[in-house]
Amino acid sequence: VVDSFNPKTPFSLKYIYQDNSGPAKARNNGYRCSSNEIVLFIDDDILVPPTLLRKHILSHQNFPKSVIVGPCVCFIPKEANLASLYVKSLEEADLAAIPASGVMRITTVISGNLSIERSQFLSTNGLYNDSLRSPTAEEFDVIARLIDERIPTYLIRDLEAIHLQPTDLADTCIREYKHAIGIGELFVKDPMIANRLEGMRNFFEVNGNIERRDSIVIKVKKSVKRLLSPKLFRAVICQAVSVFSYLVPVSVIVYPLFRFVIGI
């Protein structure tokens, strides 16, 4: 299929197959098979504007020796339901934090729309840890590595791309579940990182085992989550809230329920 495109471009198109081994190994494999100075990682469900390649190159000219990332905004259908609007509101809050300059230095990475300079990683086989199979796990590992090597990461507002993911409540819960699995994998394989990174520490403070030092509020939240966390309960609660959001389409009432269900 790729060969049939026969694109008239100044670059070559190369299709590489490997058995499914997780996103980290796939990205590294692409990196090792590439040749130019700037390498751009794009996930398979990201729809990019036609100027994205050029803008990534310009961003590296403006911020050399850096990792450059662009926002990935979920596709919102024309007939959006409340769950889609809730996801959109969360994204808008994140984008609103970017200053008027359109550039913000961050301590996270967005691997679906990320570019690096090869010269900074010549001594390695790639940016990611091949042994990590879960989404999110490889990103936290990269965050720790960039901090150690003092490589800055910049979020550029003008590099926005569209994330072609369903935004109903059930699919949003599935994505958050995968996010949690990734954090769990990294914690098991490299607990040192979990104790170093604020994002992972916060996650375990809210979702981990009940500790003596926890406040009463945190203990109650953890107890409720543990009680409702079995798969059957999660599915029933998700379905019930979805139905309720159609019967009572009032965001002030429904949004806190969405947050509760996604948190579980």
Side-chain angles (χ1 to χ4, degrees):
V1 171
V2 173
D3 287 343
S4 71
F5 291 154
N6 190 26
K8 299 184 183 304
T9 61
F11 53 83
S12 62
L13 230 74
K14 188 184 301 182
Y15 168 74
I16 304 158
Y17 175 83
Q18 71 175 37
D19 290 331
N20 186 5
S21 304
K25 192 169 184 178
R27 293 187 182 113
N28 279 344
N29 197 8
Y31 172 87
R32 293 162 190 152
C33 294
S34 63
S35 56
N36 289 328
E37 170 59 16
I38 295 176
V39 180
L40 172 62
F41 298 93
I42 294 289
D43 278 1
D44 62 345
D45 55 2
I46 301 296
L47 182 65
V48 305
T51 57
L52 190 73
L53 290 173
R54 181 183 300 275
K55 288 180 178 179
H56 266 278
I57 292 172
L58 291 175
S59 297
H60 281 280
Q61 293 174 357
N62 294 328
F63 302 96
K65 299 186 183 303
S66 302
V67 172
I68 303 295
V69 300
C72 296
V73 180
C74 282
F75 172 76
I76 305 298
K78 290 182 179 180
E79 297 181 1
N81 54 39
L82 277 179
S84 298
L85 296 177
Y86 175 68
V87 171
K88 183 179 180 180
S89 71
L90 297 179
E91 291 179 340
E92 289 175 343
D94 289 338
L95 294 176
I98 302 175
S101 65
V103 179
M104 183 169 67
R105 186 164 176 175
I106 58 175
T107 54
T108 58
V109 294
I110 304 171
S111 293
N113 182 6
L114 177 150
S115 60
I116 63 175
E117 296 175 24
R118 181 184 300 281
S119 58
Q120 291 185 279
F121 301 95
L122 284 177
S123 61
T124 69
N125 288 320
L127 181 64
Y128 300 91
N129 183 341
D130 279 346
S131 70
L132 299 172
R133 295 180 61 94
S134 306
T136 302
E138 90 282 14
E139 292 189 333
F140 275 104
D141 178 79
V142 167
I143 292 168
R145 181 175 166 195
L146 295 177
I147 292 173
D148 289 343
E149 299 187 14
R150 298 183 179 180
I151 298 175
T153 302
Y154 291 98
L155 175 65
I156 312 291
R157 181 70 175 85
D158 202 31
L159 298 178
E160 181 178 306
I162 302 299
H163 197 184
L164 295 176
Q165 283 274 9
T167 51
D168 59 24
L169 183 58
D171 285 295
T172 301
C173 286
I174 290 172
R175 284 197 298 276
E176 290 301 313
Y177 180 79
K178 291 180 178 179
H179 177 83
I181 292 296
I183 291 177
E185 180 190 4
L186 184 58
F187 182 82
V188 169
K189 292 183 176 179
D190 194 343
M192 293 282 292
I193 291 179
N195 294 319
R196 290 177 51 206
L197 298 179
E198 182 180 358
M200 291 195 73
R201 287 201 308 271
N202 292 343
F203 183 90
F204 281 104
E205 286 175 4
V206 176
N207 298 288
N209 292 325
I210 297 175
E211 306 286 350
R212 283 187 176 182
R213 64 176 183 274
D214 290 339
S215 66
I216 297 297
V217 174
I218 293 297
K219 287 180 179 178
V220 170
K221 286 185 176 180
K222 286 182 176 180
S223 298
V224 171
K225 283 188 175 184
R226 177 166 296 183
L227 180 67
L228 300 177
S229 63
K231 185 175 181 179
L232 177 61
F233 285 179
R234 285 188 282 116
V236 170
I237 295 169
C238 181
Q239 183 63 33
V241 171
S242 296
V243 172
F244 181 80
S245 68
Y246 283 101
L247 297 176
V248 186
V250 182
S251 60
V252 177
I253 299 175
V254 175
Y255 280 10
L257 291 176
F258 287 161
R259 182 178 177 84
F260 174 72
V261 173
I262 293 170
I264 292 173

